[in-house]
Amino acid sequence: MKFHVLTFGCQMNAADSGWLGRSLEGLGWEQVPAGEAQVYVVNTCSVRDKPEQKVYSLLGRLSEHLERDPSIFCAVGGCVAQQVGTKLWNRFPFVRLVFGTDGVSQAPAALARLAREPKLRLSLLDFTEDYLERDPALPGKAASPTAFVNIMQGCDNFCAYCIVPHVRGRQKSRASAAVLQECFALAGSGVREVTLLGQNVNSYGLDAGGDGVLFPQLLRAVAAIPGIERIRFTTSHPKDLAEEVIEAFGDLPNLCPSLHLPVQSGSDAVLRRMGRKYTVDQYLKKVEGLRRARPDISLSTDFIVGFPGETEADFKATLDLMRQVRFEGSFSFLYSDRPGVASVKMEPKVPDEIKSWRLAELQALQNAQQEAMLESLAGTTAKVLVEGPGFRRGSEEPAWRGRDEAGRVVNFAGPAEPDLTGRIVSVRITQAKKHSLWGEGAS
Ligand code: SAH
Ligand code: SF4
Ligand code: F3S
């Protein structure tokens, strides 16, 4: 069967889709460009209203396409599927499989069955008690020098605005031996950089599925695997970022100097209503510790703008925090009511127009800060892990693309041969672009 996977949402969804694709290929299915597929798999995100609506408009567009050939069908998985369930069938009859976030592991077998039995429809929506181990379905040779490795599923934090615990279920840690085994296998297949993934990786091992290994130990064990030259992890809840992990930035040479540490707001009053369980001061202390351990650490964050009750003074405090920490990058989102979360009932809601103004102001400040920080890197030398061929607008010159240790995208000129993919090379940074760097390699 020819299939095509479309993915919305976070890195966890990207990792799940990657696995699903490899697993279907293992069954003899073929991944093809959109338009040529007999089966479409849509992996969805429900974190805000916008990505949820995107799923419906995509399915609407697919339906026109599928009407022409009734043998084509669709599977919808991930967080919207978990949230809406089999109601999707009423609206979109060509959806023959609905699989939730714990149902991913059984999706390939279900798809194979649906291909054999054209009248069948299936749903996989139950949450499981434990982390379901999957066959990693790794190819002999890695397709990319970087890989994501799941270390947990779900979240127990129930931040007031967040649907994730509702659609990903309770936190379930994966067995440490399984994590290490997958990292060993990845290193053996040519992967040089792994990113440990979970909604709240710092509380790894602290749920019923924990096997005694906590996050700091897991991090050290992965970092010690021969061939793993870079390690990253995401996402970290500030309240759970342990002192030992902060210190690891100072003494684990292959732990990359970058951290995504979502703060959400610079106002203590808003943080309290969000149920984040830290104050701005406590957050700043963690930042201080991180910078002490690794002065060149690049910090990024998430902000929610217009949380219910956010005043002009609360928002100003967020701007102040952005300046004070000098985040190199941030994702900022308009607050969005999600079904079933606590903040739906919180008042007053901030009017859309005010939210949009605040978002624009925050993003303008972020962009200015990022540009200044990237510009300050001109003239320095970066160690770039090459991910593949790169490009420079308006230039025919051969180029390569990769990331420096802090995760910044670097494009650099260099001969097309030999293939540098998977190598770490020294690149002299010559120019800062808006969101990336340009340089000259390589040695
Ligand atoms: N587990 C991660 C992030 C999960 S969702 C963490 O704890 O930080 C990614 C981001 O989406 C969040 O950090 C938050 O900024 C944003 N987000 C979540 N729910 C939202 C909502 N209802 N409205 C707007 N943004 C939201
Ligand atoms: Fe959502 Fe909070 Fe869990 Fe992150 S920690 S996934 S924001 S509930
Ligand atoms: Fe979205 Fe689900 Fe990730 S809601 S952000 S895809 S956990």
Side-chain angles (χ1 to χ4, degrees), residues 158-180:
F158 289 94
C159 301
Y161 49 80
C162 188
I163 200 169
V164 169
H166 306 264
V167 290
R168 287 257 162 190
R170 291 297 70 68
Q171 178 178 314
K172 295 182 285 255
S173 293
R174 186 179 179 194
S176 57
V179 173
L180 293 175

Side-chain angles (χ1 to χ4, degrees), residues 322 330-333 358-368:
M322 171 84 99
S330 68
F331 298 103
S332 40
F333 309 104
R358 289 181 186 167
L359 185 75
E361 192 172 350
L362 187 64
Q363 290 184 338
L365 176 62
Q366 172 63 77
N367 287 341

Side-chain angles (χ1 to χ4, degrees), residues 47-48 161-162 164 199 235 262 264 276 302-304 333-336 338:
V47 77
R48 285 170 296 279
Y161 49 80
C162 188
V164 169
Q199 286 297 351
T235 306
Q264 314 299 357
R276 291 290 286 179
D302 291 345
F303 291 108
I304 295 177
F333 309 104
L334 294 176
Y335 168 77
S336 165
R338 305 306 293 134

Side-chain angles (χ1 to χ4, degrees), residues 9-10 13 44-47 79 164 167-168 199:
C10 62
N13 264 16
T44 62
C45 172
S46 181
V47 77
C79 296
V164 169
V167 290
R168 287 257 162 190
Q199 286 297 351

Side-chain angles (χ1 to χ4, degrees), residues 7-301:
T7 307
F8 297 91
C10 62
Q11 284 138 323
M12 269 144 277
N13 264 16
D16 283 346
S17 288
W19 174 82
L20 200 60
R22 293 195 304 274
S23 179
L24 286 171
E25 282 173 343
L27 297 177
W29 290 31
E30 187 192 350
Q31 252 184 107
V32 295
E36 295 170 26
Q38 297 159 288
V39 180
Y40 289 85
V41 182
V42 186
N43 199 1
T44 62
C45 172
S46 181
V47 77
R48 285 170 296 279
D49 187 53
K50 225 182 187 171
E52 183 184 345
Q53 297 309 325
K54 271 195 202 159
V55 173
Y56 305 134
S57 55
L58 172 75
L59 290 174
R61 266 178 282 134
L62 273 179
S63 76
E64 289 162 25
H65 176 66
L66 302 192
E67 264 161 23
R68 271 174 264 142
D69 181 353
S71 74
I72 299 177
F73 69 95
C74 191
V76 180
C79 296
V80 176
Q82 189 73 58
Q83 177 200 337
V84 180
T86 53
K87 276 188 264 168
L88 279 167
W89 286 343
N90 309 336
R91 223 171 132 184
F92 305 103
F94 54 90
V95 173
R96 293 180 51 213
L97 172 65
V98 182
F99 61 97
T101 47
D102 283 353
V104 185
S105 56
Q106 297 155 62
L111 282 164
R113 203 174 147 204
L114 290 169
R116 289 193 305 269
E117 298 178 50
K119 294 216 159 57
L120 197 66
R121 264 180 174 175
L122 292 171
S123 69
L124 300 166
L125 292 165
D126 290 338
F127 283 125
T128 57
E129 193 81 359
D130 303 312
Y131 185 95
L132 274 191
E133 210 36 67
R134 315 169 186 163
D135 164 9
L138 298 175
K141 189 180 175 309
S144 157
T146 65
F148 293 121
V149 175
N150 265 328
I151 67 167
M152 68 208 304
Q153 172 74 293
C155 179
D156 286 347
N157 280 319
F158 289 94
C159 301
Y161 49 80
C162 188
I163 200 169
V164 169
H166 306 264
V167 290
R168 287 257 162 190
R170 291 297 70 68
Q171 178 178 314
K172 295 182 285 255
S173 293
R174 186 179 179 194
S176 57
V179 173
L180 293 175
Q181 202 181 1
E182 185 171 343
C183 293
F184 264 110
L186 286 166
S189 73
V191 166
R192 301 279 76 103
E193 175 184 308
V194 295
T195 302
L196 304 179
L197 271 190
Q199 286 297 351
N200 188 10
V201 291
N202 290 278
S203 60
Y204 172 81
L206 292 171
D207 51 276
D211 58 11
V213 177
L214 300 184
F215 188 63
Q217 289 112 294
L218 185 74
L219 193 58
R220 284 179 192 275
V222 174
I225 294 174
I228 300 294
E229 294 181 49
R230 289 182 170 186
I231 169 166
R232 305 182 194 278
F233 57 87
T234 200
T235 306
S236 297
H237 192 304
K239 78 174 163 51
D240 297 317
L241 181 69
E243 196 51 45
E244 282 164 281
V245 176
I246 294 178
E247 280 164 18
F249 280 98
D251 58 35
L252 275 185
N254 52 355
L255 179 59
C256 288
S258 72
L259 183 67
H260 187 63
L261 195 60
V263 67
Q264 314 299 357
S265 169
S267 152
D268 283 340
V270 173
L271 288 173
R272 201 175 328 110
R273 285 202 305 281
M274 286 178 165
R276 291 290 286 179
K277 303 189 179 76
Y278 54 83
T279 62
V280 173
D281 218 44
Q282 287 164 333
Y283 184 89
L284 289 171
K285 291 235 159 58
K286 304 249 167 169
V287 168
E288 224 173 83
L290 287 160
R291 294 221 159 110
R292 210 176 308 123
R294 190 77 205 240
D296 60 342
I297 196 163
S298 164
L299 297 174
S300 60
T301 199

